[in-house]
Amino acid sequence: MMTVPQACAYLKEQENILILCHQSPDGDTLGSGFGLYYALLAMGKQAQVVCSDPIPPQFSYLLPEAMPQIDPQCVVAVDVADPQLLGDALSCWADRVDLCIDHHPSNRRYAARTLLRPDAAATAEMMIEIIRGLAVDPDQRIANCIYTGLCTDTGCFQYSNVTSHTLRTAADMVDLGAQAYRINRKMFGTKSKARIAMEREVLDSLVYAMEGRIAVIAVTGEMLERTGAIESELDGLSSIPREIEGVKVGITLREKPGGFKISVRTVEKINAAAICALFGGGGHARAAGCFIGEPLEQCRKKIIGAAKAACEEAGL
Amino acid sequence: MMTVPQACAYLKEQENILILCHQSPDGDTLGSGFGLYYALLAMGKQAQVVCSDPIPPQFSYLLPEAMPQIDPQCVVAVDVADPQLLGDALSCWADRVDLCIDHHPSNRRYAARTLLRPDAAATAEMMIEIIRGLAVDPDQRIANCIYTGLCTDTGCFQYSNVTSHTLRTAADMVDLGAQAYRINRKMFGTKSKARIAMEREVLDSLVYAMEGRIAVIAVTGEMLERTGAIESELDGLSSIPREIEGVKVGITLREKPGGFKISVRTVEKINAAAICALFGGGGHARAAGCFIGEPLEQCRKKIIGAAKAACEEAGL
């Protein structure tokens, strides 16, 4: 395990640095990756950011105008907790990562050197310290990168991972010229027409059980066909049922080949993992998953039955 | 116009202080009001917070266990831009406000003394400076009050009014013990069943025009009856159409006696106020309103016609 000054000392010695982001890239892996990239370039080094998936268009403002390929002497993974998350296209680097910079408590320590801070809300919160440790003056581009990581990994400073340090780091980025409002609008204030259509479908599918203590939504293949929604447009739908007032168990059924993938979110006192274990699944106490290989109606009935039993057992 | 030190000097001299919040109370008027209340109590003064509407249950954590009536010698309005916003029950105080603390640029300067800072994201952002100026050490209760004002007036730090000072003030509140995550969940992470039902109705009502450049939703009396939603559960619905990708003009029709109240939100280049002026309404360049005294279909047709003309004129 490394400290920030150690990671900085190591990076100062490197010349051609390849920066790996995780697959299905989000604002934190991209913001941290490109933040580091611009800092290394400002130091006169060569660098390149790679990702096994295309970069979603809403993040295009993070990208440089051009990024020539390099012949890497050093490989840095950012926000990548597990080498499997590099994805197929980057799997060749899985056991050749020289430095991993990450904030996930589940980090697999797969790299030769690891800088891990599980109390950071985002890898970007660590990355700005590294950039300063490299004696680079963060410009607006870097500030936008770091701000993007901070706001996306915290649901715009809404989640439980936000600390006063996270908020102060965001304030610093705003002072450095980060276009916070423009970025917030891009990340949180815009929905595609397909996403809006999916929200409608999902709300149409909503059913309550046990006098509103259980809420179930479904995402079927038919809905996806009707709306044209793609995977990334389904983000966050499964949190809808749990956000409804009075709901103790929120359930999302997602059609997959041969049945339904089930996601269960619960309030305190009800163990989501125990509910899912009844169907061979598992997870955390408040969020867990399983698969039931049956048609929608049967799946719904079975998982509602298990959720009811759990509510009754908990006296809720 | 007063400065913070002047307002503090004035408050220090007062004994029995009545604090007025605005009607339809939100997190900022209540958070600022009760923040000041607890500070005055800590100074050994008597104080009371009043509002012409009942305080919505989600704000109950801001309230003291008991709040005896006082015989006021001094009246302070917080976050009240116009005496009309005091509401009927407090209208007797409208021309007797000794000090108004507010951040709305539209403040009517109706009070004997006004502390106005239009660049503050929330009145709460100013209130914590006053509390410190009164030499009160903010405790967790005060920190929760101030944090509530900050997060509710900024959509959880998402809107364009957020500055680095806003974010640093929030960080300070977290350090003082503000239960940011619990408050965020209450304010942004929970929706009533009636609200969810309204969202479904509203999405069912969504129609596009001009190849998706115009989006229109409707809120009818029938929908309110079906869902049982109340006024405060409609907050934010009118921003749905404008948040859809590609939409240049987002329109919300809200049934009122004799017709529909229409809210128009636009992107740059399209003047919402000009669209609404065609029907005798007005407002700002990006957000305006009007009333059309006709049935739903006719209203929709008329306002879409005006929006189309505006899009075409703007070359969008």
Side-chain angles (χ1 to χ4, degrees):
Chain A
M1 291 289 286
M2 272 194 152
T3 63
V4 168
Q6 285 169 338
C8 291
Y10 172 77
L11 285 168
K12 279 181 190 167
E13 286 165 12
Q14 311 306 315
E15 277 312 318
N16 298 297
I17 299 136
L18 186 69
I19 301 168
L20 312 180
C21 294
H22 63 68
Q23 63 188 3
S24 306
D26 59 15
D28 195 24
T29 197
L30 294 173
S32 301
F34 282 103
L36 178 60
Y37 169 83
Y38 293 123
L40 294 171
L41 255 55
M43 297 169 77
K45 297 182 187 293
Q46 295 225 301
Q48 188 186 351
V49 180
V50 289
C51 181
S52 63
D53 288 317
I55 292 173
Q58 70 264 36
F59 294 115
S60 58
Y61 65 95
L62 298 175
L63 309 182
E65 288 186 16
M67 186 168 54
Q69 269 208 314
I70 60 160
D71 181 20
Q73 288 159 8
C74 164
V75 177
V76 180
V78 289
D79 201 44
V80 183
D82 186 311
Q84 291 209 338
L85 297 174
L86 290 170
D88 290 345
L90 298 182
S91 61
C92 53
W93 300 107
D95 53 8
R96 295 163 63 190
V97 176
D98 298 299
L99 171 62
C100 173
I101 304 169
D102 188 24
H103 74 124
H104 293 96
S106 58
N107 187 287
R108 302 277 305 248
R109 321 283 163 102
Y110 57 90
R113 298 162 194 80
T114 302
L115 173 60
L116 178 67
R117 205 185 288 164
D119 61 338
T123 296
E125 195 175 332
M126 311 161 59
M127 193 57 81
I128 188 63
E129 287 189 37
I130 294 174
I131 290 169
R132 286 184 167 133
L134 293 171
V136 170
D137 250 348
D139 60 6
Q140 181 178 53
R141 226 166 24 176
I142 291 178
N144 277 338
C145 287
I146 300 300
Y147 183 85
T148 300
L150 294 174
C151 77
T152 53
D153 256 26
T154 59
C156 212
F157 311 104
Q158 209 176 120
Y159 300 159
S160 59
N161 58 354
V162 175
T163 64
S164 59
H165 186 264
T166 317
L167 290 162
R168 280 199 189 93
T169 307
D172 292 345
M173 295 307 105
V174 170
D175 283 339
L176 289 169
Q179 293 154 301
Y181 176 58
R182 273 187 62 189
I183 296 170
N184 294 343
R185 273 199 54 116
K186 248 185 226 289
M187 299 298 137
F188 309 103
T190 314
K191 292 175 177 180
S192 70
K193 291 190 168 69
R195 163 71 186 213
I196 285 281
M198 265 316 294
E199 287 189 11
R200 182 192 165 178
E201 296 267 357
V202 153
L203 290 177
D204 280 348
S205 81
L206 173 65
V207 292
Y208 293 108
M210 235 187 145
E211 281 139 18
R213 272 166 283 182
I214 301 168
V216 188
I217 60 169
V219 176
T220 67
E222 258 179 36
M223 290 180 187
L224 293 175
E225 263 174 50
R226 262 199 303 267
T227 61
I230 56 169
E231 193 62 38
S232 65
E233 289 169 327
L234 306 178
D235 275 3
L237 287 180
S238 59
S239 62
I240 291 177
R242 239 302 308 281
E243 286 173 5
I244 303 171
E245 214 173 358
V247 170
K248 311 295 181 196
V249 185
I251 299 170
T252 302
L253 307 177
R254 171 77 197 280
E255 193 168 13
K256 293 281 173 189
F260 282 81
K261 200 182 113 194
I262 294 173
S263 132
V264 176
R265 309 275 177 96
T266 58
V267 297
E268 270 166 58
K269 290 197 195 173
I270 300 185
N271 191 332
I275 294 174
C276 291
L278 295 173
F279 306 99
H284 303 278
R286 303 281 90 80
C290 60
F291 182 88
I292 302 183
E294 296 196 35
L296 179 57
E297 277 319 309
Q298 281 86 324
C299 283
R300 190 148 48 193
K301 213 174 144 186
K302 285 194 173 174
I303 192 75
I304 286 179
K308 265 189 186 168
C311 283
E312 276 159 9
E313 202 181 313
L316 292 177
Chain B
M1 291 287 287
M2 273 196 151
T3 62
V4 168
Q6 285 169 338
C8 291
Y10 173 75
L11 285 169
K12 278 181 192 168
E13 287 165 13
Q14 311 307 316
E15 277 314 318
N16 298 298
I17 299 137
L18 186 69
I19 301 168
L20 312 180
C21 294
H22 63 67
Q23 63 187 5
S24 306
D26 60 15
D28 195 23
T29 198
L30 294 173
S32 301
F34 283 102
L36 177 60
Y37 169 83
Y38 294 122
L40 294 171
L41 255 55
M43 295 169 77
K45 296 181 188 293
Q46 297 225 298
Q48 187 187 351
V49 180
V50 289
C51 181
S52 62
D53 288 317
I55 292 173
Q58 71 264 32
F59 294 115
S60 58
Y61 65 95
L62 297 175
L63 309 183
E65 289 185 17
M67 187 167 55
Q69 268 208 317
I70 61 161
D71 179 21
Q73 288 159 6
C74 163
V75 178
V76 180
V78 290
D79 200 45
V80 183
D82 186 312
Q84 293 211 336
L85 298 174
L86 291 170
D88 290 343
L90 298 183
S91 61
C92 54
W93 300 107
D95 52 6
R96 293 162 64 190
V97 176
D98 298 300
L99 171 62
C100 172
I101 305 169
D102 188 25
H103 73 124
H104 293 95
S106 59
N107 187 287
R108 301 277 305 248
R109 322 284 163 101
Y110 58 91
R113 296 161 194 81
T114 302
L115 174 60
L116 178 68
R117 206 185 286 162
D119 60 337
T123 296
E125 195 174 332
M126 308 159 61
M127 193 57 80
I128 187 64
E129 287 189 37
I130 293 174
I131 291 168
R132 286 185 167 130
L134 293 172
V136 171
D137 250 347
D139 60 7
Q140 182 180 51
R141 224 166 27 173
I142 290 178
N144 277 338
C145 288
I146 300 299
Y147 183 85
T148 299
L150 294 174
C151 77
T152 52
D153 254 27
T154 59
C156 213
F157 311 102
Q158 211 178 116
Y159 300 159
S160 60
N161 57 353
V162 175
T163 63
S164 58
H165 186 265
T166 318
L167 290 162
R168 280 199 189 93
T169 306
D172 292 346
M173 295 308 105
V174 169
D175 283 340
L176 288 169
Q179 293 155 301
Y181 177 58
R182 273 187 62 189
I183 295 171
N184 294 343
R185 273 199 54 116
K186 247 184 226 290
M187 299 298 135
F188 309 105
T190 314
K191 292 175 178 180
S192 70
K193 290 188 169 73
R195 165 69 185 214
I196 286 280
M198 265 316 295
E199 287 188 10
R200 181 191 166 180
E201 296 267 356
V202 153
L203 289 176
D204 280 349
S205 81
L206 173 66
V207 292
Y208 293 108
M210 235 187 145
E211 282 140 16
R213 271 166 285 180
I214 300 168
V216 188
I217 60 170
V219 176
T220 67
E222 261 180 36
M223 291 180 185
L224 293 176
E225 264 175 50
R226 264 199 301 270
T227 60
I230 56 169
E231 192 61 38
S232 65
E233 290 169 327
L234 306 178
D235 273 4
L237 287 178
S238 60
S239 62
I240 290 177
R242 238 301 306 284
E243 286 172 6
I244 303 172
E245 213 172 0
V247 169
K248 310 297 181 199
V249 185
I251 299 169
T252 302
L253 307 178
R254 172 78 198 280
E255 194 168 11
K256 293 282 172 188
F260 283 81
K261 201 184 112 193
I262 295 173
S263 132
V264 176
R265 310 274 179 98
T266 58
V267 298
E268 271 168 55
K269 288 196 193 173
I270 300 184
N271 191 333
I275 294 174
C276 290
L278 296 173
F279 305 99
H284 303 279
R286 303 283 89 80
C290 59
F291 181 87
I292 302 184
E294 297 197 32
L296 179 57
E297 278 319 310
Q298 280 86 325
C299 282
R300 190 146 52 195
K301 213 175 145 191
K302 285 194 171 172
I303 192 75
I304 287 178
K308 264 189 186 166
C311 283
E312 276 160 8
E313 202 183 313
L316 292 177

